[in-house]
């Protein structure tokens, strides 16, 4: 089964690449205000017009954000502390003000999230995990919190915390793809292939029919992710010893997969041709699978013998 494991590792690796990118996409979105502000004094080559334009853009973003916070019923004092924290250039001051904002209103999810991100940037991963876990008591359906929490647990090398977060994502965000893809990868890494299958099947159904929360990354690349999910599902089914289901899944999704990534067709076909050998003792199933896979069905010795007699 070396070939199957090789393909599995490839797709698992590609899946994790995509998820890590996804994590940092959310992180970048969450930190849009902070990231837009220069961490160092503007270089001499920058014109005052450029700096002023950037400052105006930051203020416009903050004005919109403040309105969203007011609409969410967050207290004005907490909003004010959060704004001061965001504008501060001193990390110690930022931490103090984020904590103040949380104390003034525990519904201020922005303060929780940005304090967690501040700790992540300082490599205080467990502290980040603690504050983000606390926020889940009030906000268990916010994707950014989960994404940053996964970064924190990964940084802290806390495998159990990471796995628990994935489980919470699946339970609290049942139509959100990341929980299922990450959950499947955890199970695959543990060699629990049969348990990973339902995660991948649910993930495929979300990509097929879900609105993907309107997240541009998923919407724009839906077919690529769906193709990767089908490929990983087929390989996982093979490793779970669910050979017939693997063959039937490939046959059902083959045309779509060839359109997205035709280069993988032969590789997957060779794998399935090999594992179909286990059905040789059942000629009807064995030959039926060959026909499904559009492979030649071997002729029998009896037919050849009859022709010779004639």
């Amino acid at each position: 089964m070396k070939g199957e494991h090789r393909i599995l590792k490839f797709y698992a690796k590609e899946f994790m690449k995509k998820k890590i990118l996804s994590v940092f996409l959310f992180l970048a979105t969450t930190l849009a205000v902070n990231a837009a502000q220069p961490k160092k004094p503007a270089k001499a080559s920058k014109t005052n017009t450029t700096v002023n334009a950037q400052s105006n853009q930051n203020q416009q973003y903050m004005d919109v954000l403040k309105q969203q916070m007011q609409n969410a019923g967050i207290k004005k004092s907490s909003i004010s502390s959060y704004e001061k924290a965001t504008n501060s250039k001193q990390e110690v001051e930022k931490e103090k003000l984020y904590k103040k904002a949380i104390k003034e209103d525990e519904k201020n999810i922005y303060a929780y999230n940005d304090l967690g991100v501040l700790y992540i940037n300082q490599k205080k991963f467990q502290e980040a995990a603690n504050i983000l876990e606390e926020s889940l008591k009030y906000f268990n359906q916010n994707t950014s919190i989960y994404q940053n929490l996964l970064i924190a647990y990964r940084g802290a090398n806390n495998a159990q915390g990471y796995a628990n977060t994935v489980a919470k994502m699946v339970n609290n965000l049942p139509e959100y793809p990341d929980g299922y893809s990450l959950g499947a990868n955890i199970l695959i890494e543990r060699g629990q292939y049969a348990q990973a299958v339902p995660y991948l099947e649910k993930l495929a159904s979300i990509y097929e029919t879900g609105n993907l929360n309107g997240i541009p990354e998923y919407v724009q690349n839906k077919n690529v992710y769906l193709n990767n999910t089908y490929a990983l599902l087929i390989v996982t089914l093979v490793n779970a010893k669910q050979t017939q289901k693997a063959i039937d899944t490939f046959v059902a999704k083959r045309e779509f997969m060839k359109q997205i990534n035709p280069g993988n067709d032969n590789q997957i076909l060779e794998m399935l041709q090999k594992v179909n050998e286990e059905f040789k003792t059942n000629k009807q199933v064995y030959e039926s699978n060959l026909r499904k896979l559009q492979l030649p069905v071997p002729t029998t010795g009896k037919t050849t013998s009859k022709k010779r007699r004639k």
Side-chain angles (χ1 to χ4, degrees):
M1 299 286 285
K2 288 182 180 179
E4 290 87 321
H5 286 293
R6 175 169 54 80
I7 300 171
L8 172 63
K9 288 179 180 178
F10 168 77
Y11 279 107
K13 184 178 179 182
E14 290 302 303
F15 240 64
M16 288 308 296
K17 277 184 185 177
K18 191 269 286 188
K19 293 308 161 192
I20 291 169
L21 286 173
S22 173
V23 167
F24 284 101
L25 174 69
F26 274 94
L27 179 59
T29 303
T30 304
L31 290 175
V33 175
N34 293 335
Q37 298 179 20
K39 296 181 180 179
K40 297 180 181 179
K43 294 180 181 180
S45 60
K46 281 193 174 182
T47 64
N48 289 333
T49 303
T50 303
V51 174
N52 289 337
Q54 187 175 33
S55 177
N56 291 337
Q57 186 179 18
N58 293 345
Q59 188 56 52
Q60 288 173 3
Y61 184 93
M62 178 53 70
D63 290 343
V64 172
L65 186 57
K66 284 164 63 177
Q67 187 60 55
Q68 290 176 347
M69 296 169 81
Q70 290 173 19
N71 294 342
I74 298 173
K75 294 177 181 177
K76 289 184 178 179
S77 59
S78 181
I79 295 173
S80 177
S81 296
Y82 174 81
E83 182 178 12
K84 290 176 183 176
T86 300
N87 292 330
S88 175
K89 304 292 193 246
Q90 303 298 321
E91 290 190 348
V92 173
E93 185 69 11
K94 278 181 176 290
E95 180 181 4
K96 178 181 175 181
L97 288 167
Y98 283 140
K99 287 182 176 179
K100 185 172 184 288
I102 292 170
K103 187 175 181 180
E104 289 167 338
D105 194 336
E106 63 187 16
K107 296 193 301 295
N108 193 337
I109 186 174
Y110 303 91
Y112 276 111
N113 190 66
D114 285 12
L115 178 57
V117 169
L118 178 66
Y119 286 145
I120 288 171
N121 290 337
Q122 294 173 338
K123 300 192 184 304
K124 297 178 180 178
F125 297 112
Q126 193 55 55
E127 289 183 53
N130 292 342
I131 194 70
L132 293 168
E133 283 284 7
E134 185 179 341
S135 74
L136 286 180
K137 297 176 184 176
Y138 313 103
F139 313 101
N140 67 359
Q141 293 189 321
N142 183 279
T143 56
S144 294
I145 294 293
Y146 287 107
Q147 297 288 354
N148 290 328
L149 189 53
L150 289 172
I151 293 172
Y153 278 130
R154 187 164 57 240
N157 293 318
N158 187 334
Q160 190 58 56
Y162 189 97
N164 289 343
T165 301
V166 170
K168 290 175 185 176
M169 290 176 75
V170 171
N171 291 332
N172 297 325
L173 300 168
E175 297 305 316
Y176 184 65
D178 277 22
Y180 298 98
S181 59
L182 292 172
N185 274 282
I186 289 172
L187 292 167
I188 288 169
E189 288 172 2
R190 293 174 179 173
Q192 297 174 294
Y193 303 110
Q195 292 91 326
V197 168
Y199 281 79
L200 293 171
E201 290 177 332
K202 176 61 177 179
L203 179 61
S205 72
I206 290 175
Y207 284 135
E208 288 169 345
T209 61
N211 63 16
L212 302 171
N213 295 323
I215 301 168
E217 180 199 4
Y218 295 124
V219 174
Q220 294 169 8
N221 301 292
K222 182 179 74 169
N223 286 343
V224 174
Y225 295 155
L226 181 57
N227 173 70
N228 287 351
T229 303
Y230 287 151
L232 186 57
L233 173 59
I234 292 164
V235 176
T236 303
L237 285 166
V238 169
N239 280 277
K241 309 300 182 185
Q242 298 180 34
T243 305
Q244 190 59 57
K245 190 172 182 180
I247 292 172
D248 291 341
T249 300
F250 176 67
V251 171
K253 311 301 180 183
R254 187 175 186 180
E255 287 307 310
F256 170 83
M257 294 174 71
K258 285 174 73 174
Q259 290 176 12
I260 304 302
N261 191 348
N264 286 335
D265 187 71
N266 285 338
Q267 191 179 20
I268 297 175
L269 185 62
E270 287 177 13
M271 175 187 69
L272 295 177
Q273 183 179 15
K274 179 180 177 182
V275 296
N276 186 50
E277 294 295 304
E278 70 184 60
F279 293 117
K280 265 195 168 180
T281 55
N282 188 331
K283 181 182 176 182
Q284 185 176 356
V285 173
Y286 174 70
E287 293 186 353
S288 173
N289 284 338
L290 290 177
R291 293 187 184 95
K292 289 178 183 179
L293 295 170
Q294 299 175 13
L295 294 170
V297 177
T299 56
T300 62
K302 291 181 179 179
T303 304
T304 305
S305 177
K306 286 181 180 179
K307 286 183 179 180
R308 284 179 179 172
R309 286 175 187 172
K310 289 181 181 179

